[in-house]
Amino acid sequence: MSTMPVGGLVPRATDTAADLIVRNAKIHTGDPARPQAEAIAIRDGVITAVGDDMDIAPRVGPHTKVVDALGRRMVPGLNDAHLHVIRGGLNYVLELRWDGVPTLRQGLAMLREQAARTPKGQWVRVVGGWSAEQFAERRLPTVAELNAAAPDTPVFVLHLYQAAVLNRAALKAAGFGRDTPDPKGGQIVRGRHGEPTGMLLAAPSALVLYSTLAKAPVLEGEDKKNSTRHFLRELNRFGLTSAIDAAGGFQNFPDNYSTVVELAAAGQLSLRIAYHLFPQTAGQEIDDLARWTEIASPDDGDEWLRLNGAGENLTWAAADFENFAEPRPQLGDYEAEFEKAVRLLMENGWGFRLHATYDETIRRDLAVFEKLAAEGLFPAGNRWLFDHAETVSADSLDRIVALGGAMSVQNRLSFQGEAFVRRYGPGAAADAPPIRAMLDRGTTVAAGTDATRVSSYNPWVALHWLITGRTVGDLVVRPPHNRVDRRTALSMFTEAGASLTGEEDVKGVLKPGFLGDLAVLSEDYFAVPEPDIAHIESLLTVVGGRIVYASAEYDGLDEELPPISPAWSPVAHFGGYQALARTSGAGARQAELLGQAVAESEQHRQWRVRRGMAAEAESAAGGFIDPCFSL
């Protein structure tokens, strides 16, 4: 299948010879002018031909690598529009991933095994990508279970933005004792004598969780490059070819960016990264932003590594928290400093992105933008957007569109949907976020994961959520009116992401002149049953004509990576995302239909309640009583 003449494609000397040809594929191009094709040719990192064998035959040269897709589905390479890829890469090989693990029992077994191989002084850390709702047991591990699994090795288990569970050794390593004060916005749960129990709660700020995690040992030197390269390969495994790094806490510029800069200089990135800069120190944000605008400009770099603007925070005081197990945080007065930050960026041609979970925050931000719009600073051609926006209102969406803004949504409710429903109710959850309302207004709506500390980095879990409205615990959160079809969801992970970085003319679509970024999938995304969307992987991922990931029949065609270091790394033994078997089949389909029937029954009950035909309390009793069966 490699460099071998296939189906009459005879090598010939030509000045237009491709470096790589992938043929015999079911190609979804994303190009309205030619939406379907069977073959694609790439030369010097750029697509030169899309069509059938006849179209690409003249591109076969003596050194062209020809790969047979064996009739599989090919799509444009995926682009995660909100991924903490730089921070994730620096920590990847240190983390035990529970992404995709179906039972807590299995997770604890993995933890126990990892603790046995972890050297003295190191921690076992489970950081993001999972929810208690995905486990058959539907619960967190207890402190006692962590102590039993790892009596002497520090263990830190982070659960969403809500809590962390530490064993006895981790409490000691982190320096927590009876006299340790509760941090602002957080709580150290204590026993009857004041000793920390091992539970940390975000109340509502997650700073207590992340500041504790920051006390664990970090990688040094070449290990940081090794970790990042293996993390990028793991992302390539799912067909990701680009990501927009949303920066975040504990990601200092330029120090924590140096690893990806060095890898880019060495030609060792396998994922295109557009990055943001995030002021780290409260009270120093304006000084940091002013310094950055003097030394750099958005779009500095190339197609592999480029600056995209500021954010996702501009000032710390303006950031709300998204711990849906807690009430919405009440922010103080932040507008004065926030206005200075936005003005500085807009006057210097910098775009930005803003973390904003709640409409209350978005409305306050928009008031600042509208004040600056009166001076001509909005819309001014700078790319800017709101991230998350789970409770954004229709009025706020209209104001965002008027100011030239875009939206970026993430599947945080894949993992926190149950908590959101418990706090705000199913009605609010149905429009969290209001994706269809965003799209209907014609604004750019890109999709991402917000991995790695809450959501999983697997984009197919996010695509499954966009299409089905279901959490990883299989709760239907968003009804049909707020879901999207498969083509729209895919475009949110391809074309829309390219638009957020000003690259819509060079990537996100498979057409001549665009970058040669593609994925050949394990299953046909457009044909598999909905439950199986989350289980799709890429078998062949190509970035700029380079095969950066290959498995199954294509194993060995990708670039070789050095072994994972350190050797005791959890990733070296368990890998990353824990792939599960397909869930479709007669029994699973029956369960799915039953679940849909239950959901439709609940919608019907709510319809009756709204019209005074049934009491709200009837749901607690199992539903309304049909008069046909009453005595």
Side-chain angles (χ1 to χ4, degrees):
M1 72 184 63
S2 170
T3 71
M4 181 184 298
V6 180
L9 299 182
V10 180
R12 65 188 70 177
T14 173
D15 293 335
T16 61
D19 301 315
L20 174 69
I21 286 174
V22 184
R23 63 173 297 277
N24 191 21
K26 291 186 291 188
I27 304 177
H28 171 79
T29 67
D31 179 11
R34 183 160 193 171
Q36 304 293 332
E38 295 80 44
I40 191 167
I42 302 171
R43 176 186 172 98
D44 295 330
V46 176
I47 298 170
T48 57
V50 177
D52 54 24
D53 280 356
M54 184 178 297
D55 297 314
I56 60 102
R59 312 276 177 171
V60 180
H63 303 293
T64 300
K65 179 175 288 186
V66 179
V67 178
D68 190 336
L70 301 174
R72 291 193 172 98
R73 174 65 66 183
M74 179 196 296
V75 297
L78 302 187
N79 185 349
D80 190 321
H82 186 120
L83 176 65
H84 297 280
V85 61
I86 293 175
R87 186 176 66 194
L90 295 175
N91 296 282
Y92 175 61
V93 301
L94 293 176
E95 296 173 352
L96 177 66
R97 305 302 306 181
W98 279 356
D99 307 47
V101 173
T103 68
L104 177 59
R105 180 179 181 180
Q106 179 181 335
L108 288 171
M110 295 167 66
L111 194 152
R112 184 180 302 107
E113 182 183 335
Q114 182 56 38
R117 72 168 61 91
T118 300
K120 185 178 178 60
Q122 291 289 344
W123 294 26
V124 177
R125 58 200 94 180
V126 180
V127 184
W130 65 282
S131 166
E133 303 294 341
Q134 82 191 39
F135 292 148
E137 298 90 340
R138 304 279 176 167
R139 66 174 180 85
L140 300 179
T142 65
V143 174
E145 286 171 327
L146 298 191
N147 285 331
D152 304 312
T153 303
V155 174
F156 176 97
V157 177
L158 176 70
H159 185 240
L160 310 175
Y161 288 124
Q162 299 175 8
V165 190
L166 284 69
N167 69 347
R168 189 181 304 109
L171 286 173
K172 181 178 180 180
F176 287 134
R178 181 183 302 171
D179 299 326
T180 304
D182 285 350
K184 183 179 179 181
Q187 180 184 354
I188 301 171
V189 179
R190 303 173 191 274
R192 63 175 61 92
H193 301 298
E195 295 289 340
T197 65
M199 287 292 299
L200 305 179
L201 300 179
S205 171
L207 184 60
V208 63
L209 312 180
Y210 297 148
S211 60
T212 303
L213 178 61
K215 297 178 181 181
V218 298
L219 295 170
E220 301 290 347
E222 290 298 310
D223 281 345
K224 292 190 293 187
K225 292 183 184 179
N226 180 283
S227 179
T228 297
R229 292 186 70 185
H230 279 277
F231 183 49
L232 300 187
R233 175 64 63 86
E234 173 75 352
L235 298 177
N236 298 149
R237 167 188 167 192
F238 296 101
L240 280 164
T241 58
S242 292
I244 307 176
D245 185 89
F250 301 93
Q251 184 170 306
N252 291 288
F253 179 80
D255 297 349
N256 295 132
Y257 292 71
S258 61
T259 297
V260 292
V261 170
E262 292 172 14
L263 290 175
Q268 293 178 335
L269 290 180
S270 63
L271 186 86
R272 306 185 192 277
I273 301 173
Y275 61 89
H276 287 253
L277 302 184
F278 182 125
Q280 296 293 309
T281 305
Q284 189 179 305
E285 298 99 327
I286 306 302
D287 291 340
D288 286 341
L289 292 171
R291 185 174 69 257
W292 296 337
T293 59
E294 291 175 357
I295 62 174
S297 299
D299 301 330
D300 282 354
D302 58 23
E303 68 269 19
W304 284 99
L305 184 65
R306 60 195 290 124
L307 173 62
N308 199 50
E312 60 182 299
N313 273 4
L314 303 184
T315 61
W316 279 96
D320 54 17
F321 303 104
E322 61 281 9
N323 178 5
F324 298 126
E326 294 283 336
R328 177 179 62 84
Q330 300 298 313
L331 303 183
D333 294 333
Y334 66 78
E335 280 82 355
E337 285 297 296
F338 182 71
E339 179 182 331
K340 291 180 184 178
V342 176
R343 180 186 299 276
L344 173 66
L345 293 170
M346 297 300 283
E347 289 179 343
N348 284 275
W350 274 57
F352 60 88
R353 66 191 310 156
L354 283 174
H355 166 108
T357 302
Y358 301 99
D359 190 57
E360 289 81 357
T361 307
I362 292 171
R363 290 201 306 265
R364 292 175 65 175
D365 293 351
L366 287 171
V368 172
F369 300 164
E370 288 163 345
K371 178 181 178 182
L372 296 176
E375 303 176 27
L377 293 179
F378 284 87
N382 297 343
R383 296 187 299 272
W384 72 272
L385 63 123
F386 277 113
D387 278 306
H388 315 314
E390 275 85 0
T391 70
V392 65
S393 66
D395 176 67
S396 293
L397 288 176
D398 291 337
R399 295 164 69 188
I400 291 167
V401 172
L403 292 167
M407 305 298 298
S408 176
V409 299
Q410 299 77 42
N411 64 314
R412 303 193 303 181
L413 291 197
S414 283
F415 300 86
Q416 302 182 84
E418 288 83 358
F420 192 99
V421 169
R422 285 192 290 269
R423 178 156 297 280
Y424 298 108
D431 289 315
I435 298 170
R436 284 262 38 120
M438 296 175 184
L439 291 166
D440 290 345
R441 283 164 171 78
T443 190
T444 297
V445 185
T449 61
D450 200 13
T452 59
R453 290 187 169 178
V454 173
S455 302
S456 173
Y457 49 74
N458 183 345
W460 299 101
V461 175
L463 284 156
H464 173 267
W465 172 79
L466 287 169
I467 295 160
T468 69
R470 291 177 180 270
T471 70
V472 295
D474 208 32
L475 175 69
V476 178
V477 176
R478 287 182 297 107
H481 77 262
N482 194 28
R483 301 175 198 164
V484 298
D485 61 67
R486 300 189 193 203
R487 291 179 184 274
T488 301
L490 185 61
S491 71
M492 293 169 69
F493 256 101
T494 53
E495 298 167 77
S499 180
L500 293 189
T501 57
E503 298 175 283
E504 62 270 28
D505 293 332
V506 295
K507 71 179 180 181
V509 176
L510 298 178
K511 61 186 294 187
F514 276 51
L515 296 173
D517 301 350
L518 59 88
V520 177
L521 305 180
S522 59
E523 305 285 347
D524 187 344
Y525 165 69
F526 292 105
V528 295
E530 285 186 350
D532 289 333
I533 293 173
H535 301 288
I536 292 174
E537 296 188 16
S538 176
L539 300 182
L540 185 82
T541 304
V542 175
V543 186
R546 290 168 47 200
I547 299 176
V548 296
Y549 178 81
S551 64
E553 292 88 353
Y554 314 109
D555 190 32
L557 293 183
D558 52 358
E559 304 160 351
E560 186 175 6
L561 290 185
I564 292 173
S565 61
W568 55 266
S569 161
V571 178
H573 297 270
F574 297 109
Y577 189 93
Q578 301 296 300
L580 299 177
R582 292 176 58 177
T583 58
S584 63
R589 180 57 179 162
Q590 183 179 15
E592 180 186 3
L593 292 173
L594 178 61
Q596 292 174 357
V598 170
E600 291 168 1
S601 176
E602 172 62 11
Q603 290 175 358
H604 181 57
R605 187 197 65 77
Q606 293 178 7
W607 180 86
R608 289 172 58 84
V609 169
R610 286 195 299 270
R611 287 156 179 79
M613 299 168 64
E616 182 66 43
E618 286 175 351
S619 62
F624 66 86
I625 299 174
D626 192 318
C628 293
F629 299 99
S630 60
L631 296 176

